[in-house]
Amino acid sequence: MWNEVVVVPLLGWPLMVTLGSLFVLVVAATVLGWSRVRGPRAVRVLQRAALVGSSQALVVLLLAAGANNYGYFYGSWSDLFGGSSQAAVALPPTHGGPGPRQGHVGAAGALPAVKSGPTSWSTPTEWATRGRVDTVTVRGARSDLSEQALVYLPPEYFQPASAHRTFPAVEVMTGYPGVVANLVQRQHYPDTLLTEMGQRRAGPMVLVMLRPTVAPPRDTECTDVPAGPQALTYLAEDVPSAVESAYRVRPTGWGAMGDSTGGYCAVKLAMAHSDVFSTAVSLSGYYHTLRDTTTGDLWGGSSVLRDLNSPEWLLAHQPAPPVSVLATIGTAEKGHTGISDTRHFLSLVRSPMSVTSVVIPGGGHNFHSWSTVMGPAFDWLSKRLHAA
């Protein structure tokens, strides 16, 4: 027996069909009722304005739902209006192969912080050849934050010859606001890694896929906010510790990878916590702090804290950490978070830090551009993580 928090989804065709049907009904009602409205002139005007306004409102909602369905921006109403839909889910125990190390005490000295269950991405008979994607809830012992994640376990994880092997792990992050399913269903991280492993260009890795939006709808930018969400602590300390307590992964030498905000977070994790993260991949990421209506003041009014959260400032004013970074960017990405920002970041990198850059001709800030470099990015990560 297990319980699950049910939320009304903002993704998928049911909402699109519902809105589309309502639009057709309202348009039909407008056409049929236009000449049938009754009452004084002012009342008739108001009735007809309501009919037209209803049609227009539904058009806007339908377009917004379509854009959200394509981009996976918000997964639920609570994501959109505030409050996390990532409530803890108690899942049934798994069978059919090596899985989480239930009962193991992790590095933090706390009880296991991950409850997991396999998704339908693969069947039990495919685990030893294709791997498995688990749904997990990662609870932070230090930050007191909780977030849903998807964990990809490679085929080797289930093969008898590797029964006692520990694997390198990579924390993969969405952009803002992000939906975790995006990383599997749209960006195909597990499938891409599986292809690279099949071609012997990459070795087996565990992917911990999650969104950096740990306090929706606020964009925390992976920051420990004074008197607010401790997002950096959660992502840099709690997640590795919790995952290591439940799966056979190495406690250090992690990689971090993400697009847009996730790319910024990946680089910040490696630079701020090089004792855990040795490599980072930034797909169209940026390298300075942001403040807008989605973030608010993340530094409690402190310019010092703002600087300490800027990779560019850190490279310009403090010793470089011993980490490796892969930075990709498209030539069509303009503005203060585009290609000029990436070039500025590259110019600041110095030993013992190293950086590799990939420029995508005509590439934009989108899934298509990122998919063209994802395979080579995994190959780059693998060489460094497996050499550790």
Side-chain angles (χ1 to χ4, degrees):
M1 178 66 68
W2 57 289
N3 299 313
E4 183 175 12
V5 175
V6 179
V7 296
V8 179
L10 268 175
L11 295 170
W13 290 110
L15 180 61
M16 295 289 294
V17 171
T18 300
L19 290 174
S21 300
L22 286 173
F23 174 69
V24 171
L25 290 174
V26 170
V27 169
T30 301
V31 172
L32 294 174
W34 190 265
S35 61
R36 300 183 182 183
V37 294
R38 297 290 183 267
R41 177 180 176 82
V43 174
R44 296 198 305 272
V45 170
L46 288 175
Q47 289 176 338
R48 287 169 175 162
L51 290 171
V52 174
S54 298
S55 300
Q56 293 178 334
L58 282 169
V59 167
V60 171
L61 288 173
L62 186 58
L63 291 174
N68 186 63
N69 197 49
Y70 177 79
Y72 278 54
F73 300 117
Y74 297 96
S76 67
W77 296 103
S78 57
D79 276 355
L80 180 62
F81 294 113
S84 176
S85 64
Q86 314 296 343
V89 178
L91 292 157
T94 62
H95 305 282
R101 299 183 300 189
Q102 307 294 344
H104 175 70
V105 177
L111 292 175
V114 178
K115 291 187 176 181
S116 68
T119 69
S120 59
W121 187 82
S122 61
T123 64
T125 58
E126 295 175 313
W127 291 350
T129 57
R130 193 173 181 224
R132 186 176 85 191
V133 175
D134 282 356
T135 300
V136 306
T137 298
V138 183
R139 299 181 179 88
R142 300 173 180 85
S143 66
D144 199 31
L145 293 171
S146 181
E147 185 71 17
Q148 186 181 20
L150 294 172
V151 174
Y152 172 68
L153 305 171
E156 288 81 358
Y157 195 94
F158 303 95
Q159 295 170 2
S162 300
H164 302 288
R165 177 181 178 182
T166 57
F167 294 84
V170 180
E171 198 167 311
V172 180
M173 289 165 284
T174 69
Y176 172 81
V179 172
V180 184
N182 181 2
L183 299 172
V184 175
Q185 298 175 8
R186 287 291 175 87
Q187 294 180 269
H188 307 292
Y189 272 91
D191 291 293
T192 302
L193 177 57
L194 189 61
T195 297
E196 298 305 303
M197 291 189 296
Q199 297 296 322
R200 299 186 182 279
R201 293 189 289 260
M205 294 176 276
V206 171
L207 305 182
V208 183
M209 297 170 282
L210 71 170
R211 60 181 188 169
T213 312
V214 295
R218 189 177 190 183
D219 178 8
T220 59
E221 294 283 302
C222 306
T223 302
D224 281 346
V225 182
Q230 302 297 287
L232 182 60
T233 295
Y234 176 76
L235 294 167
E237 301 180 45
D238 287 337
V239 171
S241 177
V243 172
E244 191 270 335
S245 75
Y247 293 97
R248 301 196 315 274
V249 300
R250 300 173 187 172
T252 60
W254 277 50
M257 184 174 184
D259 60 75
S260 191
T261 299
Y264 162 78
C265 290
V267 172
K268 190 159 78 168
L269 289 181
M271 293 187 66
H273 290 268
S274 59
D275 56 326
V276 176
F277 295 87
S278 60
T279 57
V281 174
S282 174
L283 307 176
S284 294
Y286 45 90
Y287 306 94
H288 58 273
T289 54
L290 296 181
R291 178 174 180 174
D292 56 27
T293 56
T294 66
T295 66
D297 180 4
L298 298 171
W299 316 285
S302 170
S303 60
V304 173
L305 285 180
R306 178 166 187 164
D307 289 341
L308 292 175
N309 280 277
S310 170
E312 290 175 344
W313 188 93
L314 291 172
L315 282 173
H317 297 89
Q318 293 192 355
V323 297
S324 301
V325 172
L326 173 64
T328 79
I329 195 71
T331 57
E333 298 189 64
K334 308 298 182 182
H336 69 291
T337 59
I339 191 167
S340 62
D341 184 55
T342 298
R343 286 171 174 161
H344 179 56
F345 171 76
L346 297 175
S347 71
L348 296 171
V349 175
R350 62 191 185 280
S351 180
M353 185 174 175
S354 64
V355 65
T356 303
S357 62
V358 176
V359 177
I360 308 167
H365 203 80
N366 53 56
F367 293 166
H368 174 73
S369 294
W370 302 330
S371 67
T372 63
V373 294
M374 190 181 298
F378 273 131
D379 305 342
W380 180 91
L381 267 175
S382 178
K383 290 177 182 178
R384 285 150 183 83
L385 295 180
H386 282 277

